[in-house]
Amino acid sequence: MNRKKGDKGFESPRPYKFTTHQVVCINNINFQRKSVVGYVELTIFPTVANLNRIKLNSKQCRIYRVRVNDLEAAFIYNDPTLEVCHHESKQRNLNYFSNAYAAAVSAVDPDAGNGELCIKVPSELWKHVDELKVLKVHINFSLDQPKGGLHFVVPNMEGSMAERGAHVFSCGYQNSTRFWFPCVDSYSELCTWKLEYTVDAAMVAVSNGDLVETVYTHDMRKKTFHYMLTIPTAASNISLAIGPFEILVDPYMHEVTHFCLPQLLPLLKHTTSYLHEVFEFYEEILTCRYPYSCFKTVFIDEAYVEVAAYASMSIFSTNLLHSAMIIDETPLTRRCLAQALAQQFFGCFISRMSWSDEWVLKGISGYIYGLWMKKTFGVNEYRHWIKQELDQIVAYELKTGGVLLHPIFGGGKEKDNPASHLHFSIKHPHTLSWEYYTMFQCKAHLVMRLIENRISMEFMLQVFNKLLSLASTASSQKFQSHMWSQMLVSTSGFLKSISNVSGKDIQPLIKQWVDQSGVVKFYGSFAFNRKRNVLELEIKQDYTSPGTQKYVGPLKVTVQELDGSFNHTLQIEENSLKHDIPCHSKSRRNKKKKIPLMNGEEVDMDLSAMDADSPLLWIRIDPDMSVLRKVEFEQSDFMWQYQLRYERDVVAQEEAILALEKFPTPASRLALTDILEQEQCFYRVRMLACFCLAKIANSMVSTWTGPPAMKSLFTRMFCCKTCPNIVKTNNFMNFQSYFLQKTMPVAMALLRDVHNLCPKEVLMFILDLIKYNDNRKNKFSDNYYRAELIDALANSVTPAVSVNNEVRTLDNLNPDVRLILEEITRFLNMEKLLPSYRHTITVSCLKAIRVLQKNGHVPSDPALFKSYAEYGHFVDVRIAALEAVVDYTK
Amino acid sequence: GSKHATTPADNYYLARRRTLQVVVSSLLTEAGFESAEKAAVETLTEMLQSYISEIGRSAKSYCEHTARTQPTLSDIVVTLVEMGFNVETLPAYAKRSQRMVITAPPVTNQPVTPKALTAGQNKPHPSHIPGHFPEFPDPHTYIKTPTYREPVSDYQVLRERAASQRRDVERALTRFMAKTGETQSLFKDDVSTFPLIAARPFTVPYLTALLPSELEMQQMEETDSSEQDDQTDTENLPLHMSTDDSGPEKENASVLQQNTSLSGSRNGEENVIDNPYLRPVKKPKIRRKK
C-alpha cells in the first residue's frame, strides 16, 4: 500500500478511477425464486496508458455479458474464496485454512487493485485508452438464491408477495456489496450513483440518495424507483431494501422517512418519535448539518445485525420496534438509533482510506455516540458504560492476547504479521473473527476518549468539524476525484488534524494504544507510614502475560483523607514501584468535623470503623479511567465500605461492591443494605449491590440473623403496608424502582441456607410475587418483570438429591420443584394465548426448564428445545432454545 | 280410600269422575254389554275424560286466539272438526231413541282456593286507573326489603380473591387448550400433569412478538386516550395491500392519502409535506428506453 503522508492524500491502487457515477439497475426481483436480474454501468477513467485489464469485485453473481463502450468484452470470473483449500487433504487444520483463506481474500482485495472479475479491454479500444479517454463498462448480471449480501424474507403463506410481507434487503459484514452487484467493493473508491429498482407496484424500494421519481412500467403492474446519490460514496456504503413497507414521514423532519413492515406502523411511530433529538444533538456538537439531503430508516425482519448504516439510510432489525408500554427496550432501541446516526457522519459520509484506518471511523462514531449517551442518560450511565466497555476489552485482550487498532503490514509476509497471537489474519476485515471486530470497535472509542482526555473535548470536536467541513466542500466538487479523497479519513490525516487544532503532541498516546496492542495490568497495595505521615503506595505491573503491555507515564491516584480528597499524579517509570504520597491530615481527627469529598460536598461520617492511626478513608488508582487497564488494588474492608457509602463516582461504588464480596461481615452487609435503600444512589449500583448482598449472605449463612437478605427491604419498598405478604399492584412509573423491583427477587433466589438449599421462605416469597402480580392498573407492560420472576424461580433451583441414579419421574419430584414447574407450565402455556413482547416469558421459561433438567429434577431431554429452535419462532426464543440445546454438549 | 283425609277439592273431582263412570257404563249397556271388568271401565273412563279435556283445552285455545275469554259454540265446532269428529252426525246421535238419561251429578260447589296469606293492605288503584282493572297484587310480591351483608372491603381478601380467580381462569384455560390440542411433556411417562401446549412456528413470527396483545391495547387505551387516533390509523392500513385488482393507480392514491393524513395529524397547519415517497407515481413515458 502506498499511503503517503501529506496533502496529496489518497492514491488509488488501480490504474483507473471512476468519474461521475455508476449506474445500478435492478429490473427484476423475483421473490418466489429469490432472484435478481440487472445491470451496472461503470464509467471508468484510465490513469495510465496501456490499460488492458479492468478488475472488479463480484461474488455469487452470474455475469451474462460485458460490454466496454458498446463493444463485447471478454472476461474471466474467479472467486478463490469459494474453494479455499483446493482439495488439500493432508493439512486439515485451522491454521492452514486460515492462511489459505487470507491469501484468497488478498487475491481479490479491491484495496490492492484486485477483484474476482477481470475484464479484458477490447483491442479496438486500446488506442482510446492510450489517450486516457473515458470507458463505459456495462455488465449484465443475475443473482439466484443469494447466500449473502442480499437477504430474502418470504413468509410461507397464502397471498401475493406484498400481502405476505415478503421483503429483501442488503446486508453483510464490512464491504460486501459485491455480493449483489459488480463494483469496486472498497470504502476508498468513491463515485456518484444512479440507482434504479423496478419492483411490484405494491412494494417500495428504499435505497441511497434522493428518490427522484417513481414511474410505472407500461403494464402498470410495476414501478421503477429512481434514486440519485450526488455525494461521492463508496460502493460498500450502497444498500437496498424492498418490501411492502408502510411509510411514515417524520413529523419533525420531513426529509426523514421511516419504513416498516405491514401492521407495525403504530410501533414505528412511537419508536422513531425520538430520532429528531439525536439529529439535533449531533448537528449541534459537530456544528455541521447532516451531510445528506435525506435520511431513511428501514426496519426489517431477520436482520443480519441490529443496526447497519449506509449512505443516507440505515437498516434496522424490526425487533427494535416497540410500543409506549415497553420500558426495557426503549433505551436499547434509542441507543441503536443514535449509533446508526453517528455512523452516518463517520463511516458513511466520511469513509476510510484503508482497512488500517478503520479505527478512526469506529472511534469517532463511537465517541460521539458516547457523548450522546452522556447527555441523554446522564453522567452516571455514561461512566458505567465506559467502565463496562473497559472491563470488556481488558478481559478480551488478556484472554486472547491483544487487539491492534492500527496494524501496519509489511510486504505481506507471514512473519510480519503484527498479530501472530491470533488464529486469524487481521489484514482484512473478512478474515477477522466477529468477536475481535466487536472488541476492536470498543477499543477504538475508548482510545478516542483517551485522546479527548489529552486535548480536551473542545479541540476534539473542532477536529471532527474540520474533517466534516473539508469533506463537505470536497463532496460538492464534481469530476475532480482527487478532491474526493478529502472524504476519506486516514490515521495520519486524523493525527495531523489533531496536532494542527490542539498544538499538542499525542504521538506517545497513539504509539501506546493504537500502534501496539495490549492493556495494562496494575497491582496496587499501600502502607501508611505514621511517622512520616506518608502513604507508601506500591504499584506493580504485569507486562509479560499475553495481552498486556508496559505502561510508562503519568497515573492519577486519588486519596480520600479525613481533611478532604486529594489528587496525585504519579510518574510510572521503568523501575520505580514505590511512590510516597504525603498525607494532608493528621491521623487523629477532630471528631465533629465534616469530611469534604471530591465534589465539594461535606458529609458526616461515622469514623469508628477506621484505623485510628491512619487518616486514609480510601484510595483510588486511575479514577478517570485514562489508561486502558485493569487495577487490582488492596485496601481494608472498611475502606471499601467507606468508598461505597461516600464516594460519589458510580464506578468507584461498583468497584467497592465487587471488592466487598471478599469481606462477608456485618459491616459489609450494612453498607450494602444502606446503599440499596438510598434512592439518590444510581440504580445500577443498587442492582449490583443486590447480588453482592446475596453472595455475602451465603458466606455468612451460619451467623446470619434476621429474615433472608433483602426480604424486609423488598417488603418495605414494594409491598402493601397493611398486608406485607402481598406486593402492591404494579406501577412502573418510577423506572429506578422498577429495575430494582425486577432485580431483587432474582438476587434473593440465589440465597442458600446451611444445607445449601434455597430457603423455603424465599421460594414462597417469589411464588407469592407471581401469584399477586397485578398489572391491570399499570401504564407499562410487565412482561420483563414476569420474565425475571421466572428467572428468579430458576435461580432458586438446587441440584436434586438423587438416589442410585434413579430415573426422573413425576412421582419422585421434589415438592418445591413441583410448585415451580406448575408456574412455568402455566406461564409457558399462557404465552401461547397472550404472547408477551419479544416473548420474554417464553425465553425465561425455556431457560428455567433447562436449569431444572441440569439439576436433575426433570429428565434431560432436548426435544422441547428442538421444537422451539425451529424456523418460524421469534428469534429470541430460537436463540434461547438453541443455547439450551448447545448446553447439552457441555 | 278412607285412610286418606280427603279435601273438598278431592271430593269434587271424585264426584265428577264417578259421573263419567256412570256415563261409560250406560254407554256400554246401550251397546249391549251385560257386564264389564272394572279395569276396562276405568280405561274407557280415562279415555273419555282425556277426550273431553282435549276438547276443552283446544276450544280455549281457539277462543283465546280470537282474543276472547269465553268459548263460543263455533270454537267447539272447530275443535271437533280439528279432532276429526264428524259434527254433522252429532244432532242425530243426540236424538237417538235408545239413549239413556242419567241424573245429573249432585251439585257440589266448586272448591274455593284457599286464600293466600294476606300480608299487608292491597294498594288501592291510583285515580288514573279505571276500577275494572285487576287489583294490585299482594304487597309482598313487589315490596323489596333489601338486606345488607358486610361488603368485602378487606384489601387482602380482595387481592387474594383476584389473584386466585385469575390463576384459576388461566389454569383452566391452558389446561383446556392443552387437552384439545397437541402437547409436549417434560416427563416421558406422564403427559397430563404438566401439559405444555406444543410449540407451533408462526409464518410471521415478529408480529405476535412485537404487537401488543388486544388486552394490552385495551389497557393502553384506558391509560392513554390520545393514542387512540394512532390505532384507528392502523385499522385502515391493510387497505392498500388488498386492493390489487383496483389497479395500481388507485391503490397508490390511497397510500398517499393515508400518509398525508398521518403526518398531517401531528402538525396540523403544514398540510403540504414534500416528501418524495408521498409524491404520486408517474405514468410511463411513451418512449422510454428499456
Side-chain angles (χ1 to χ4, degrees), chain A residues 55-74:
Chain A
K55 285 188 174 172
L56 296 176
N57 295 110
S58 173
K59 262 181 184 292
Q60 74 183 354
C61 295
R62 177 177 298 167
I63 312 276
Y64 289 111
R65 187 180 180 199
V66 178
R67 280 173 296 165
V68 180
N69 285 10
D70 291 327
L71 294 168
E72 295 292 332

Side-chain angles (χ1 to χ4, degrees), chain A residues 459-709:
Chain A
F459 282 142
M460 200 71 174
L461 293 176
Q462 275 182 32
V463 170
F464 300 160
N465 176 265
K466 198 177 161 193
L467 294 176
L468 285 169
S469 41
L470 279 176
S472 61
T473 315
S475 71
S476 53
Q477 310 268 334
K478 279 185 179 167
F479 304 112
Q480 284 176 290
S481 48
H482 67 275
M483 269 297 287
W484 287 352
S485 67
Q486 296 282 10
M487 300 179 72
L488 303 176
V489 81
S490 71
T491 306
S492 59
F494 174 65
L495 296 182
K496 196 164 178 214
S497 197
I498 286 181
S499 104
N500 285 347
V501 168
S502 71
K504 283 186 179 149
D505 177 25
I506 60 160
Q507 208 50 50
L509 191 153
I510 297 299
K511 191 166 168 270
Q512 180 118 42
W513 304 118
V514 179
D515 290 338
Q516 79 187 45
S517 69
V519 291
V520 181
K521 218 169 152 183
F522 288 125
Y523 297 97
S525 59
F526 77 96
F528 178 67
N529 187 325
R530 204 178 144 200
K531 266 186 204 157
R532 295 166 57 213
N533 196 25
V534 155
L535 161 66
E536 294 168 356
L537 192 63
E538 189 183 49
I539 295 179
K540 285 192 241 168
Q541 280 189 59
D542 168 12
Y543 44 81
T544 48
S545 306
T548 56
Q549 57 163 294
K550 190 191 285 179
Y551 180 77
V552 173
L555 183 71
K556 191 165 138 187
V557 173
T558 305
V559 182
Q560 176 70 48
E561 296 180 40
L562 291 170
D563 285 2
S565 188
F566 303 97
N567 289 329
H568 305 270
T569 307
L570 308 181
Q571 208 58 36
I572 303 290
E573 279 157 28
E574 202 81 13
N575 296 316
S576 75
L577 301 172
K578 300 233 161 139
H579 304 269
D580 285 356
I581 298 175
C583 288
H584 297 71
S585 332
K586 286 291 171 198
S587 56
R588 205 54 263 182
R589 54 248 165 196
N590 178 0
K591 278 189 178 169
K592 288 277 148 24
K593 218 173 140 196
K594 287 193 171 188
I595 294 171
L597 300 179
M598 184 49 100
N599 61 356
E601 212 179 319
E602 296 200 344
V603 293
D604 283 314
M605 288 187 202
D606 173 15
L607 299 172
S608 55
M610 67 185 290
D611 181 356
D613 290 338
S614 142
L616 302 170
L617 284 164
W618 67 83
I619 299 163
R620 297 186 63 205
I621 293 180
D622 186 28
D624 297 330
M625 298 178 281
S626 38
V627 177
L628 302 186
R629 77 329 187 240
K630 177 181 180 155
V631 179
E632 283 177 21
F633 187 65
E634 285 173 30
Q635 59 182 2
S636 332
D637 57 345
F638 69 84
M639 296 177 85
W640 289 119
Q641 287 151 11
Y642 281 125
Q643 180 172 334
L644 173 59
R645 284 171 187 270
Y646 300 110
E647 171 63 65
R648 295 298 184 238
D649 177 13
V650 295
V651 173
Q653 292 171 355
E654 287 171 349
E655 280 167 354
I657 289 175
L658 292 178
L660 282 177
E661 279 178 19
K662 293 184 211 85
F663 302 102
T665 60
S668 297
R669 175 185 173 181
L670 196 63
L672 288 164
T673 323
D674 286 349
I675 272 293
L676 205 47
E677 274 182 288
Q678 224 178 75
E679 275 173 28
Q680 304 98 304
C681 182
F682 185 47
Y683 76 103
R684 288 190 191 272
V685 171
R686 296 166 80 191
M687 284 160 72
L688 196 65
C690 292
F691 290 98
C692 183
L693 199 53
K695 280 184 190 154
I696 286 188
N698 290 346
S699 311
M700 300 169 62
V701 65
S702 50
T703 56
W704 188 268
T705 51

